[in-house]
Amino acid sequence: MSDRTGAIAVRGMKERTRRGASLLFIPGILIVVVFLLMPVVLLILRSFSSSPAGNPDIFPLTIDNYRVFIQQFGYYASHFGKTVLLAALGALLGALVAYPLALGIVTTRSRSLRFAYVFFALTPLLVSVVIRSYGWQVLLGPTGIFGQFAPGTNGFIGTDLAVVIGLGHLATPFVLLSLLPVLDNLDMSLIRAARGLGANAVQVFFQVVLTRSMPGLVSGLVVSFAVGATVVVTPQLLGGRTDRLVPNLIFDEMTVQFDWNLAASLSTVLMVVIALVAVAVSLLESWLSPLARARRASLSMGR
Amino acid sequence: MTVSYKGFTAVADVSFTVEQGKTLVLLGPSGCGKSSLLNAIAGFVPVTSGRIQLGGREITSVPPQQRHMSMVFQTHALFPHLSVIDNVMFGLKVWHGPKRSKAERRERAMDALRIVHLEDKAERYPDSLSGGERQRVAIARALVVNPEVLLLDEPLSSLDARLREELRFELARISAEQHLTMIYVTHDQEEAFSLGDEIAVMRAGSIQQRSSASQIYNEPRTAFVARFIGGSNLLKCTVPSARDDVAQVSGRPVRCRNPWSVPQGEAYLALRGHALTLHAPVADGNGLPATVTDVRYMGAYSAVGLVLGDGQSLRASVAGTRDLPLRAGDDVFVEWIPEDATLLVEERS
């Protein structure tokens, strides 16, 4: 009898402490709501607004800001298409640079040397995007070490190539950061086993290292893509005056046309496009990657 | 060969030959250099000085993928993104041998899986296999390329005791059936004895003794070997004369063997615990008077702790499933036949 009341008392206490513990989530939830969720909600509300720029009041609501996408479908489709393409190419270029860097870093034996490599590889993150883009403007401009070989009088400035190079530079540290932990956790005996079975360095890379690091590579690519598709300065400084990217259109609507409502609807559509691409790439990875396929097969068979 | 990393010598001037179809076991405690030696043979670790030859062919600087050896790892190292059959076929796909059709490769991989009795798990993925099954797949994967030498780096250490024993017998069977040449690294004496045609006991980068299991057990070359294999008692003694096979222990002459020609002077006498018999105190016989310090019943035998007149202690394992009529403080006479006692010099380093 006394036993049972004891048990009830203990359970009551547990419930109370658990309820108390859940209160600890509140600061975190507040930060997420105030700093992440609210701006997005306000942005989406603004994209349905018809009140003039500068007016904090968003009512009355309208869908006119989205109607322009249907009215001028060709114009917006080509700008969004180009943004997606250049951001994707930039992310791929970043991956091409970051992968060998990551391999070099994880195979470094000395700890201090490794730290130095990681530090220097990530220094681009310490420098503003504006400075980095101006840097490329010099390098790719008519008198720069790369630009002097360009056919025109303006170096490579104003070409899509220049934009892709600039975006690739932005992407490199992000891909590197997501590759390092995956490659660090790669079981060295897998590489030794493959070598012992007769695989040369190229076969080891494509059949073992690349397959095993695919999850990290893909998440790095997705992050880089999102950064590349939203950055304003790089295409502004390195890209052409015509055929501009969506972030520049948004910037113009905000500061030149002063149409915040259209800027908001452009931003919302861009956000949705980036999210769709990210989801599509992740789905593709989990369908195609042999590693993910093996994991599914093991799961369905049970242990 | 010698293998050093940044001033640390992992393998110090080691030299040996393995005959075709035989198994050499490298046995030693962790950090003794046995894995470094194996990795140098496989080509994963560069040799600092010395040579490696395979069937008369110089392979010291040949890259690992061209050495025609394959390795089984402690962590099985199966490719998690490939099914069992694809894991086994991996070597056939990349091996620089005759080109084979996919059907032929599959057939050979299935043959290898049949050797390890896993033909019905061919389509499974490594994550859905048990530890023992994974290691058997790793063995099949290493066998399928017909390696000239099969290297095994503590292949059973990550398994539990029952599986370890099962796989040990399996490996012995496969090695006999396939006439494999194997170099097997382990720290486990039972594994070494049951698989090795020859056993090399390693310590601090060098081979202390290389010979058959029974010779290592009965005639340990050094005090380290005597202690590491089966835990011998080592008693300080003096050798009055190198020829007489007699040692002076605790002020008493006892008979023993001197296979390594230990010279006159200070030495050690190695005595297996279960080679000792305990009697009521007597004055004669080949042995020493001692006092019991503790008696522990172990099932198949009893472990008896003893101390000699000069304070040296030793342990005896007395066979039998009954409780011994002994207790701490009893005086006994420890006896052995001379063939079971071996004279050794102080450890060589």
Side-chain angles (χ1 to χ4, degrees):
Chain A
M1 193 60 199
S2 64
D3 236 323
R4 201 180 293 165
T5 48
I8 289 166
V10 167
R11 198 184 306 144
M13 203 154 74
K14 238 189 218 160
E15 247 158 41
R16 203 181 314 141
T17 45
R18 208 175 284 156
R19 204 173 302 145
S22 65
L23 290 174
L24 293 173
F25 283 118
I26 288 179
I29 291 170
L30 270 178
I31 288 175
V32 169
V33 168
V34 173
F35 291 101
L36 290 170
L37 224 52
M38 249 171 46
V40 173
V41 170
L42 286 176
L43 176 79
I44 293 171
L45 280 176
R46 187 86 219 183
S47 73
F48 288 103
S49 166
S50 60
S51 78
N55 185 348
D57 205 9
I58 50 166
F59 293 100
L61 295 180
T62 168
I63 56 161
D64 282 352
N65 304 322
Y66 287 95
R67 205 169 273 154
V68 291
F69 293 108
I70 297 158
Q71 286 159 351
Q72 306 177 48
F73 182 79
Y75 174 80
Y76 284 111
S78 84
H79 282 282
F80 272 97
K82 187 171 175 183
T83 305
V84 167
L85 181 71
L86 293 193
L89 288 175
L92 285 175
L93 179 67
L96 276 180
V97 177
Y99 211 107
L101 275 177
L103 280 182
I105 287 168
V106 295
T107 48
T108 304
R109 288 259 175 87
S110 144
R111 285 185 82 82
S112 46
L113 212 55
R114 184 197 153 105
F115 179 80
Y117 286 163
V118 174
F119 180 78
F120 284 119
L122 297 184
T123 42
L125 291 177
L126 304 177
V127 181
S128 149
V129 189
V130 182
I131 310 281
R132 277 182 279 166
S133 299
Y134 271 119
W136 279 110
Q137 214 177 31
V138 172
L139 292 175
L140 299 173
T143 54
I145 43 172
F146 302 122
Q148 56 183 314
F149 301 111
T153 55
N154 211 7
F156 286 110
I157 302 301
T159 64
D160 291 345
L161 178 69
V163 179
V164 170
I165 290 173
L167 295 181
H169 187 206
L170 287 187
T172 306
F174 291 108
V175 181
L176 186 75
L177 273 179
S178 64
L179 271 177
L180 281 181
V182 195
L183 288 178
D184 267 332
N185 285 331
L186 189 71
D187 184 0
M188 284 309 279
S189 62
L190 284 182
I191 293 170
R192 290 187 167 182
R195 297 270 275 167
L197 290 168
N200 60 34
V202 177
Q203 287 167 319
V204 168
F205 177 76
F206 281 104
Q207 305 200 15
V208 181
V209 180
L210 189 61
T211 343
R212 295 291 285 143
S213 60
M214 208 42 109
L217 183 61
V218 167
S219 65
L221 282 174
V222 168
V223 171
S224 304
F225 171 78
V227 170
T230 49
V231 70
V232 178
V233 182
T234 305
Q236 185 81 33
L237 292 180
L238 301 174
R241 297 280 139 237
T242 56
D243 240 13
R244 307 172 65 220
L245 302 191
V246 178
N248 305 108
L249 299 183
I250 297 170
F251 190 76
D252 274 3
E253 292 301 334
M254 289 286 291
T255 59
V256 182
Q257 309 294 329
F258 231 55
D259 188 346
W260 288 12
N261 304 333
L262 184 58
S265 67
L266 272 168
S267 300
T268 308
V269 174
L270 183 61
M271 196 165 68
V272 171
V273 167
I274 290 170
L276 285 179
V277 170
V279 168
V281 168
S282 306
L283 280 180
L284 213 62
E285 197 259 333
S286 67
W287 278 334
L288 294 183
S289 126
L291 191 65
R293 213 183 318 150
R295 212 163 273 153
R296 270 201 309 280
S298 304
L299 273 181
S300 68
M301 256 176 268
R303 259 305 301 276
Chain B
M1 74 164 89
T2 295
V3 178
S4 349
Y5 314 98
K6 282 190 187 167
F8 168 73
T9 306
V11 179
D13 197 18
V14 158
S15 184
F16 62 84
T17 320
V18 186
E19 252 180 79
Q20 192 168 359
K22 298 280 187 197
T23 298
L24 173 75
V25 174
L26 301 173
L27 176 65
S30 56
C32 72
K34 54 193 196 300
S35 283
S36 295
L37 179 53
L38 195 74
N39 280 314
I41 295 169
F44 299 138
V45 166
V47 172
T48 313
S49 68
R51 293 187 307 151
I52 309 168
Q53 288 187 322
L54 179 58
R57 187 163 57 97
E58 176 80 32
I59 59 163
T60 318
S61 51
V62 170
Q65 68 268 28
Q66 288 162 23
R67 292 203 180 188
H68 295 245
M69 300 175 172
S70 50
M71 189 140 154
V72 178
F73 299 85
Q74 180 178 351
T75 57
H76 66 74
L78 293 180
F79 305 121
H81 57 284
L82 298 179
S83 65
V84 165
I85 185 94
D86 285 335
N87 260 285
V88 179
M89 283 202 299
F90 184 89
L92 294 175
K93 230 160 60 181
V94 297
W95 191 256
H96 304 281
K99 281 267 170 259
R100 294 194 185 80
S101 70
K102 176 131 199 218
E104 205 182 336
R105 291 203 300 252
R106 210 187 150 78
E107 197 38 56
R108 286 175 54 105
M110 282 308 285
D111 285 344
L113 282 176
R114 266 188 279 276
I115 292 172
V116 297
H117 303 309
L118 275 179
E119 60 271 27
D120 53 334
K121 302 255 163 90
E123 302 306 328
R124 298 277 286 266
Y125 280 86
D127 276 356
S128 69
L129 298 180
S130 69
E133 287 170 337
R134 284 180 209 174
Q135 203 51 279
R136 272 150 65 191
V137 175
I139 293 166
R141 183 179 68 175
L143 285 179
V144 77
V145 292
N146 264 328
E148 287 180 57
V149 183
L150 182 62
L151 307 172
L152 302 104
D153 189 3
E154 307 224 9
L156 308 181
S157 308
S158 58
L159 306 174
D160 64 52
R162 198 179 50 80
L163 262 175
R164 206 153 54 214
E165 195 177 310
E166 195 183 303
L167 231 68
R168 210 171 67 210
F169 286 117
E170 189 113 324
L171 261 174
R173 170 184 69 80
I174 293 167
S175 120
E177 278 175 11
Q178 311 288 317
H179 308 289
L180 294 175
T181 310
M182 303 203 296
I183 301 179
Y184 189 107
V185 162
T186 184
H187 61 260
D188 184 278
Q189 182 195 324
E190 270 187 49
E191 263 172 63
F193 279 23
S194 63
L195 287 167
D197 295 303
E198 234 186 351
I199 291 161
V201 181
M202 286 189 71
R203 181 191 184 221
S206 62
I207 293 179
Q208 298 261 311
Q209 183 173 10
R210 177 166 66 94
S211 52
S212 68
S214 93
Q215 201 186 5
I216 286 206
Y217 197 79
N218 291 312
E219 286 175 19
R221 182 79 180 80
T222 66
F224 172 77
V225 175
R227 217 179 285 126
F228 187 69
I229 309 291
S232 285
N233 296 296
L234 284 173
L235 298 179
K236 273 203 181 102
C237 64
T238 50
V239 182
S241 143
R243 260 163 299 156
D244 291 349
D245 292 355
V246 169
Q248 193 88 17
V249 184
S250 187
R252 248 181 92 100
V254 291
R255 281 184 298 134
C256 56
R257 294 186 320 138
N258 191 354
W260 312 110
S261 312
V262 173
Q264 192 177 341
E266 297 275 302
Y268 282 94
L269 190 64
L271 277 169
R272 300 278 168 204
H274 53 77
L276 303 175
T277 50
L278 305 181
H279 302 288
V282 284
D284 59 341
N286 188 48
L288 299 162
T291 309
V292 175
T293 54
D294 68 297
V295 182
R296 227 165 275 167
Y297 177 74
M298 303 296 285
Y301 66 97
S302 294
V304 184
L306 299 155
V307 61
L308 299 179
D310 65 352
Q312 294 199 76
S313 60
L314 69 163
R315 300 199 73 80
S317 309
V318 182
T321 59
R322 306 270 167 231
D323 277 321
L324 286 183
L326 280 177
R327 60 180 59 196
D330 285 355
D331 284 326
V332 290
F333 188 76
V334 187
E335 198 177 11
W336 62 88
I337 56 170
E339 283 70 33
D340 285 338
T342 308
L343 273 177
L344 298 171
V345 284
E346 178 57 82
E347 276 171 35
R348 298 182 307 172
S349 57

